[in-house]
Amino acid sequence: MKVLEAEFMKGFIRMADDGWKMGWHERNGGNLSYRIKKEEAAQVKSDFAPSGWKNIDASVPMLAGEFFLVTGSGKFLRNAVIAPEDSLCIIEINEDGEQFRIVWGLVNGGRPTSELPSHLMNHQVIKQKTNNVYRVVYHAHTTNIIALTFILPLSDEVFTRELWEMATECPVVFPSGVGVVPWMVPGGRDIAVETSRLMEKYDVAVWAHHGMFATGENFDLTFGLMHTVEKSAEILVKVLSVRPDKLQTITTQNFKDLSDSFKVTLPEQFLKP
Ligand code: 2HA
Ligand code: ZN
């Protein structure tokens, strides 16, 4: 089968296009990666043409031998739908997890996303954390979350609690909460280490003054998670634009009732009165 005919490719392109339509991917902003299932890789392997091995700039031994579909560095997510073979690539990780090679795509040259270290280190953490279930890592420049990083303290507790309070379904959609990375230089190993450390606990990490990373099992759940968190941030921006305080909100007791009723565990850390 051709790579472009595969279902995982269609789902990936639809997600990139949905993110573009949400306004989260100005210019070349944002990036997406998918850990391809063994049987999916086997179906399209005849379409692969491997190039040379290159250093990842991170060590991901738990991902040895895996294939990933990723966006290209400097590529516009807006173009994924019209020119996937130019905008995207499939990479293979070598046997010690230190190197990768392009096996499909980027037909006009280029490299995988500048955030490859963050993507792969997150994949390594979520693969272990979920016992091989999570496969998607998504980075987007979500407007309202970015705005909040200028006016809220940059703590996991404040962001989680404020975002949970903005819509009743939030603690059900991201019960473990959200982590916050302070401003750091993007594209390198340090921010990758910091982000992947947070992914051991959370499915979402906020990058101050930059955007968000969301992780999940499939394209629907990961896009839905990004969308839910960003919508919650939008409500908070609207509330704070009208007045600086809330007249009423969802209370700690309300969250406890919700956690009993929906059978989700909410960490004590976020249930302070
Ligand atoms: O331009 O979003 O963080 C791609 C990015 C880098
Ligand atoms: Zn970015």
Side-chain angles (χ1 to χ4, degrees):
M1 185 194 283
K2 291 280 184 198
V3 167
L4 288 176
E5 293 163 3
E7 279 309 310
F8 71 83
M9 176 57 100
K10 292 177 192 166
F12 187 101
I13 292 171
R14 177 168 170 236
M15 179 156 163
D17 200 48
D18 285 345
W20 154 248
K21 288 174 182 153
M22 297 302 289
W24 300 338
H25 301 298
E26 76 290 341
R27 205 173 179 276
N28 61 318
N31 25 75
L32 175 61
S33 63
Y34 170 69
R35 186 166 59 87
I36 300 171
K37 293 177 182 165
K38 295 250 175 310
E39 60 273 22
E40 290 171 331
Q43 280 182 332
V44 296
K45 245 176 181 158
S46 57
D47 204 14
F48 288 174
S51 62
W53 293 103
K54 296 194 175 74
N55 288 333
I56 295 171
D57 237 7
S59 184
V60 287
M62 305 300 294
L63 302 179
E66 295 264 17
F67 290 90
F68 292 86
L69 176 56
V70 301
T71 49
S73 177
K75 299 294 182 181
F76 294 22
L77 263 67
R78 155 172 193 257
N79 290 334
V81 67
I82 54 162
E85 64 290 335
D86 170 70
S87 307
L88 315 176
C89 63
I90 293 177
I91 59 169
E92 178 182 9
I93 308 299
N94 78 340
E95 77 278 0
D96 67 6
E98 304 278 343
Q99 298 192 306
F100 73 92
R101 64 178 178 182
I102 296 172
V103 299
W104 180 92
L106 289 176
V107 291
N108 298 308
R111 302 177 270 114
T113 168
S114 59
E115 303 294 358
L116 191 65
S118 280
H119 278 262
L120 293 179
M121 288 192 77
N122 284 335
H123 274 293
Q124 174 160 271
V125 166
I126 63 177
K127 180 184 176 185
Q128 278 181 284
K129 176 176 86 170
T130 67
N131 214 352
N132 206 25
V133 172
Y134 276 22
R135 296 187 169 272
V136 183
V137 174
Y138 183 33
H139 169 56
H141 294 176
T142 44
T143 315
N144 293 282
I145 277 286
I146 297 171
L148 289 178
T149 64
F150 294 91
I151 55 174
L152 293 183
L154 298 175
S155 83
D156 302 1
E157 287 79 9
V158 172
F159 266 77
T160 298
R161 186 60 186 245
E162 290 290 343
L163 293 168
W164 277 2
E165 285 182 33
M166 289 304 110
T168 298
E169 70 161 17
C170 284
V172 181
V173 176
F174 49 101
S176 50
V178 303
V180 183
V181 179
W183 188 88
M184 291 180 76
V185 176
R189 202 180 173 282
D190 292 350
I191 197 166
V193 169
E194 202 59 36
T195 310
S196 61
R197 202 178 53 78
L198 290 175
M199 286 303 176
E200 291 180 10
K201 241 168 111 179
Y202 308 115
D203 289 346
V204 185
V206 172
W207 277 8
H209 322 324
H210 186 144
M212 247 195 291
F213 265 85
T215 60
E217 180 173 348
N218 56 37
F219 299 122
D220 278 348
L221 289 168
T222 313
F223 189 85
L225 176 58
M226 184 72 85
H227 193 187
T228 306
V229 176
E230 170 60 6
K231 176 160 178 176
S232 179
E234 182 181 349
I235 298 169
L236 184 55
V237 167
K238 287 183 198 289
V239 170
L240 294 173
S241 304
V242 175
R243 51 184 287 167
D245 57 337
K246 302 166 199 149
L247 207 52
Q248 57 273 323
T249 189
I250 304 172
T251 65
T252 299
Q253 188 55 51
N254 293 154
F255 286 126
K256 288 181 177 164
D257 294 345
L258 206 58
S259 117
D260 290 342
S261 180
F262 281 80
K263 309 270 180 285
V264 291
T265 308
L266 303 178
E268 276 302 317
Q269 178 190 3
F270 305 127
L271 291 176
K272 310 241 164 73

